[in-house]
Amino acid sequence: MAVPKRKKSRSRTRSRRAQWKAAPLTLVACENCGQTKVPHHLCANCGTYDRRQVVEV
Amino acid sequence: MPQPKKGARLGGSPAHQKLILANLAKALFEHDKITTTEAKARLLRPYAERLITKAKKGDLHNRRQVLAVLRDKDIVFRLFDEIAPNYENRPGGYTRIIKAGNRKGDNAPMAVIELVEALTVQQTAVREAEAATRRATKEKAEKAAAPAAEVVEEAPAVEAEAEAAEATEAEAAEKE
């Protein structure tokens, strides 16, 4: 069975993992309450979408 | 060979998917607005709208077909006698899906699916006017496309005549 010949150095491991990055979240201000929210989603703060009350908060 | 449908199946088996969709439709017609996962909402939308279209037709055959799916006379009554009349002059698009963020626990994307409001008189008028303008521009474009070919054929001849006339005028001027 094929097995690794050499131990991966800490440097290699860490260099590889340095590329694990979280993408920044796109956020917009809610039209109704001004809180930041995910675009094209219900506002979690005031429960409106497109200036219309969709759910009671 | 039967072709499997595209996309994931809810619940795992065809029977379970049918039950899930029927139950979701029942809940939707009872409460007008339900919160569910986005995948379920996306599958429920065409399913529920087909039932509403049947309810709009409103005869006994359609009522029996809907009853075979929903299996609850109270909800079918509400669908046929309260919900369907609202959508008399709306050509489809009876539901609205609004994304509502991810669920705590399993991080599933959630959505609110709701029955849209009845069209107001004003909205109906606006829509009719828009449809009329669309029709008018379409007819105009068709008319313009048809005589355009004739005009192109005539144009060079007319230009040639005009040039000839100018040339003779110029010659006449030189002679004088």
Side-chain angles (χ1 to χ4, degrees):
Chain A
M1 200 178 74
V3 288
K5 187 168 188 176
R6 296 236 175 258
K7 175 179 178 171
K8 287 273 179 291
S9 71
R10 273 193 292 270
S11 162
R12 270 185 184 281
T13 303
R14 288 171 185 169
S15 301
R16 187 175 67 247
R17 289 189 188 156
Q19 302 305 318
W20 293 4
K21 289 167 197 161
L25 209 60
T26 314
L27 290 173
V28 294
C30 172
E31 288 173 326
N32 190 50
C33 66
Q35 280 265 345
T36 51
K37 71 175 194 84
V38 188
H40 303 293
H41 279 65
L42 204 62
C43 176
N45 184 48
C46 61
T48 59
Y49 183 78
D50 206 8
R51 289 188 186 281
R52 210 173 57 84
Q53 193 72 40
V54 178
V55 291
E56 299 305 318
V57 179
Chain B
M1 196 183 132
Q3 195 81 19
K5 73 171 202 66
K6 275 187 185 170
R9 199 183 276 291
L10 301 177
S13 69
H16 195 183
Q17 165 150 339
K18 259 163 83 179
L19 278 170
I20 289 175
L21 285 175
N23 285 332
L24 282 171
K26 242 194 260 182
L28 178 65
F29 296 140
E30 192 181 345
H31 301 288
D32 288 348
K33 180 192 294 178
I34 56 174
T35 307
T36 179
T37 62
E38 201 187 325
K40 280 181 190 151
R42 296 263 174 232
L43 279 180
L44 175 61
R45 190 215 279 262
Y47 189 88
E49 294 196 357
R50 241 165 257 155
L51 292 177
I52 294 175
T53 307
K54 282 191 190 302
K56 274 169 75 176
K57 287 176 189 155
D59 56 14
L60 186 61
H61 174 59
N62 282 301
R63 189 178 285 265
R64 281 178 179 156
Q65 281 188 323
V66 173
L67 203 57
V69 171
L70 297 184
R71 316 225 52 111
D72 186 325
K73 281 186 181 167
D74 293 338
I75 291 168
V76 173
F77 176 82
R78 187 171 137 72
L79 173 62
F80 274 67
D81 292 62
E82 291 171 31
I83 295 171
N86 289 341
Y87 299 141
E88 223 154 63
N89 46 15
R90 187 185 279 278
Y94 313 118
T95 57
R96 180 188 293 126
I97 295 176
I98 297 163
K99 287 178 239 168
N102 292 3
R103 176 161 62 190
K104 216 174 180 182
D106 63 356
N107 211 27
M110 301 297 284
V112 177
I113 179 166
E114 59 185 351
L115 298 173
V116 299
E117 307 77 19
L119 281 178
T120 59
V121 177
Q122 193 189 356
Q123 277 174 319
T124 320
V126 167
R127 276 172 186 233
E128 269 169 19
E130 277 172 1
T133 33
R134 266 202 303 277
R135 269 198 301 275
T137 47
K138 204 181 169 190
E139 275 170 20
K140 222 185 213 175
E142 276 169 9
K143 266 185 195 169
E150 290 166 22
V151 168
V152 168
E153 281 165 20
E154 280 168 18
V158 171
E159 271 171 27
E161 277 169 25
E163 272 170 25
E166 273 172 29
T168 47
E169 273 172 26
E171 276 169 25
E174 273 170 26
K175 276 177 191 170
E176 280 174 10

